[in-house]
Amino acid sequence: DAGVTQSPTHLIKTRGQHVTLRCSPISGHKSVSWYQQVLGQGPQFIFQYYEKEERGRGNFPDRFSARQFPNYSSELNVNALLLGDSALYLCASSSPDIWDTEAFFGQGTRLTVV
Amino acid sequence: AQSVSQHNHHVILSEAASLELGCNYSYGGTVNLFWYVQYPGQHLQLLLKYFSGDPLVKGIKGFEAEFIKSKFSFNLRKPSVQWSDTAEYFCAVIPNTGGFKTIFGAGTRLFVKA
C-alpha cells in the first residue's frame, strides 16, 4: 500500500520566491495536515484540512497558505520566502471520522532558501 | 501557550538498559497524547497513543507510556532497549479544544550502544 507521498523531496529557492509543496494522502484518508520541522526541533503545526476545508491553523504568517483538492491531495504554498523558511515540511494524513486519530507521515520535502 | 516539554535532548544507553523518556505538557483540559518515533532515514511513525481509559498504554516494540494527569506527564518507557531502538522520539499532544492542532515536543535522540 502506498503511504503518504510528498513532492518534491528536495528544493532550493531564493529569498523572495514562492514555493508549492504537494502531498498525496493514503488512499481513503480525508484529512491532511502540514508541519514545519526546523533542525533540532519538533514538527510545528501549520494547517489541517478535512474535506477541502481548513480545520486548524498554527501560528504561521499569511505567507503560508494551503488547499485540499477533491481527491484529498493537498498543496502548501509559501510566498515571499525568507531564509528562516528553510526546513523540512511534513505532510500527514489521517482517516478521519474522529479528529483524534493517528497521523501517518510522509518523508517530507526539504526546502532550502538561499 | 500550550507546549510540550521533553526533558532529555540526547540519551545514550547500552543494550539491555532500561529507558524512560520524560514528557510534560501545559494544558489544563482533556488531551490526546502520542509518542512518535523516527528511525534513521525513515519517516515519523506512531509508537503509541492515549485517548482515555487505562493510563498505562502499550505500544509497538515493547514500548509503554503512563499518563499521569496530576503531573501533566506522559513518560515513555522500555525495560530493555536494543540497538535497533536508536532513533529520535517525539511526544505530541492534541488539546481537546475542538481544534486539530497537534503540538510536538522538541524530540529526544536516543543512541543505543551495541
Side-chain angles (χ1 to χ4, degrees):
Chain A
D1 287 341
V4 176
T5 56
Q6 293 186 242
S7 62
T9 54
H10 295 83
L11 200 54
I12 299 174
K13 289 286 191 178
T14 304
R15 275 181 301 176
Q17 287 187 313
H18 71 271
V19 67
T20 297
L21 310 181
R22 295 178 174 82
C23 172
S24 293
I26 291 172
S27 178
H29 286 190
K30 299 180 181 179
S31 175
V32 169
S33 300
W34 286 95
Y35 296 83
Q36 181 195 66
Q37 187 175 17
V38 174
L39 199 62
Q41 297 182 21
Q44 299 293 310
F45 176 82
I46 310 176
F47 290 110
Q48 184 185 32
Y49 277 77
Y50 175 67
E51 289 281 17
K52 295 169 287 181
E53 291 193 4
E54 183 183 301
R55 300 290 289 274
R57 172 186 279 259
N59 297 325
F60 281 81
D62 291 343
R63 298 185 296 108
F64 288 76
S65 63
R67 54 180 176 167
Q68 187 176 32
F69 299 99
N71 66 354
Y72 304 112
S73 67
S74 177
E75 284 182 354
L76 175 70
N77 294 284
V78 187
N79 293 325
L81 284 166
L82 303 174
L83 295 179
D85 295 330
S86 295
L88 180 68
Y89 288 85
L90 296 169
C91 174
S93 75
S94 49
S95 177
D97 297 319
I98 53 175
W99 60 271
D100 52 359
T101 191
E102 174 184 354
F104 294 81
F105 284 85
Q107 290 275 32
T109 294
R110 173 74 61 188
L111 172 66
T112 302
V113 182
V114 297
Chain B
Q2 299 152 353
S3 65
V4 176
S5 296
Q6 292 185 238
H7 311 303
N8 309 98
H9 294 295
H10 294 88
V11 173
I12 301 174
L13 294 173
S14 298
E15 276 195 314
S18 64
L19 170 72
E20 181 160 3
L21 302 182
C23 172
N24 286 89
Y25 63 92
S26 63
Y27 178 69
T30 318
V31 293
N32 288 354
L33 298 157
F34 307 81
W35 276 96
Y36 285 88
V37 61
Q38 188 167 27
Y39 297 104
Q42 297 187 27
H43 55 271
L44 275 168
Q45 56 188 285
L46 185 73
L47 258 185
L48 47 78
K49 59 188 177 184
Y50 172 80
F51 294 159
S52 63
D54 188 344
L56 185 61
V57 179
K58 294 192 184 299
I60 61 171
K61 304 186 180 185
F63 286 91
E64 65 179 31
E66 184 176 13
F67 170 49
I68 303 179
K69 189 174 181 180
S70 61
K71 295 184 178 180
F72 302 93
S73 70
F74 190 55
N75 292 353
L76 181 71
R77 299 194 292 249
K78 186 171 184 179
S80 176
V81 294
Q82 301 172 316
W83 176 80
S84 58
D85 293 324
T86 294
E88 189 158 19
Y89 294 81
F90 294 93
C91 180
V93 170
I94 300 181
N96 190 357
T97 59
F100 299 86
K101 183 176 180 178
T102 305
I103 304 166
F104 280 82
T108 297
R109 286 186 180 270
L110 171 66
F111 179 72
V112 180
K113 297 183 291 184

